[in-house]
Amino acid sequence: MTVAVLTLSEAGAPVAARVAAALPGAELHVHRAVAALPGATRFDRVADRLAELWGRVEGAVCVMPSGVVVRAVAPLLAHKLQDPAVVVVDVGGRWAVSLVSGHEGGANDLAYATANALGAEPVVTTTSEAARSLVVGVGCRRGTSADAIAAAVEAALARAGAGVEEVRLLASAAVKGGEPGLVEAAQRLGLALRFVADDEIRAQAARFEPSAFVQSRVNLPAVAEPAALLAGRRTSLLLPKQVFPGVTVAIAREASLS
């Protein structure tokens, strides 16, 4: 996906730069009021710049107030199958909101990728995504293949009496963010992948069964169970940690509001 990252303010500049650095080939666009950033293109009005980018890029990450983005893109919207993916991030880097073309246009995936880059919370409101209630936490040894990870996830789901179609996302610890097998397995399974901040896992260590092996390798008390429980909201453990060759898997279920 070709992505442009835009920001209007000095406060948003480091956030935008971090996102652009994390997304391969991303362009960085900053307002003229913002101090110069290496490799950044300047613009005067966000509405004009988004209009220029609209037919050229597949996605835009806007580090600015959502109201500004809504007003800027409203005249440009044509159809969910045609419009670029648009994600909005607050200048504090806390939230990555899938705003336009969520499922069909890839904004949901872009929101997760942006959130992973920032350690932010992805906000996805697509009905098809919200209807899925399972979060699958995965831990793996370095270099584990996508085949092994995907097979372990499918086997764990079978043990839980569930299917991939019920899974909202795959989750792991941020320390596993560079594992190509994990990224490929998520793509192969058609699932979004979220990385939970390592410090968040450590802060909740008392809730999980510790693993001396995991502690010695990645300085975390556990990976699969905390990732499954912390990547979602109102979660409870459906399937405790299951051990496969080189892979651990745990499954949590998110409860809906009644």
Side-chain angles (χ1 to χ4, degrees):
M1 175 181 282
T2 56
V3 178
V5 183
L6 303 85
T7 189
L8 290 171
S9 65
E10 289 289 349
V15 176
R18 185 168 173 180
V19 173
L23 301 177
E27 305 172 6
L28 182 58
H29 300 256
V30 301
H31 191 268
R32 289 198 178 277
V34 178
L37 287 175
T41 301
R42 302 294 194 107
F43 64 87
D44 293 310
R45 296 183 67 247
V46 67
D48 293 342
R49 180 51 52 94
L50 282 170
E52 294 166 6
L53 294 168
W54 202 250
R56 185 171 65 79
V57 301
E58 297 169 286
V61 178
C62 301
V63 185
M64 60 190 72
S66 59
V68 173
V69 182
V70 169
R71 287 189 291 271
V73 304
L76 307 173
L77 298 175
H79 193 278
K80 64 181 181 180
L81 298 179
Q82 301 172 10
D83 298 326
V86 179
V87 170
V88 177
V89 179
D90 65 292
V91 297
R94 295 165 294 187
W95 312 97
V97 183
S98 174
L99 186 70
V100 171
S101 298
H103 182 69
E104 290 83 357
N108 294 350
D109 289 339
L110 184 56
Y112 282 113
T114 300
N116 287 337
L118 298 171
E121 183 70 24
V123 180
V124 174
T125 59
T126 311
T127 301
S128 60
E129 300 287 331
R132 301 180 178 190
S133 62
L134 301 185
V135 180
V136 178
V138 179
C140 63
R141 293 183 182 178
R142 182 179 299 177
T144 302
S145 70
D147 287 341
I149 295 171
V153 169
E154 290 172 339
L157 285 168
R159 292 179 187 180
V164 174
E165 68 279 359
E166 299 174 65
V167 179
R168 187 168 72 83
L169 56 89
L170 215 60
S172 192
V175 72
K176 291 297 178 181
E179 283 292 335
L182 187 56
V183 173
E184 185 181 339
Q187 293 172 343
R188 191 177 300 179
L189 293 166
L191 298 173
L193 177 59
R194 185 183 177 198
F195 293 105
V196 179
D198 296 347
D199 286 345
E200 188 175 355
I201 292 176
R202 293 189 187 100
Q204 300 289 329
R207 296 177 57 189
F208 317 115
E209 179 184 350
S211 167
F213 176 81
V214 174
Q215 186 69 50
S216 67
R217 291 303 179 100
V218 294
N219 193 28
L220 290 173
V223 171
E225 288 188 1
L229 288 164
L230 297 175
R233 288 294 176 267
R234 299 185 299 275
T235 53
S236 59
L237 204 58
L238 176 65
L239 184 73
K241 180 180 69 177
Q242 306 291 298
V243 180
F244 302 91
V247 186
T248 56
V249 180
I251 302 175
R253 186 184 296 279
E254 294 178 308
S256 60
L257 288 175
S258 56

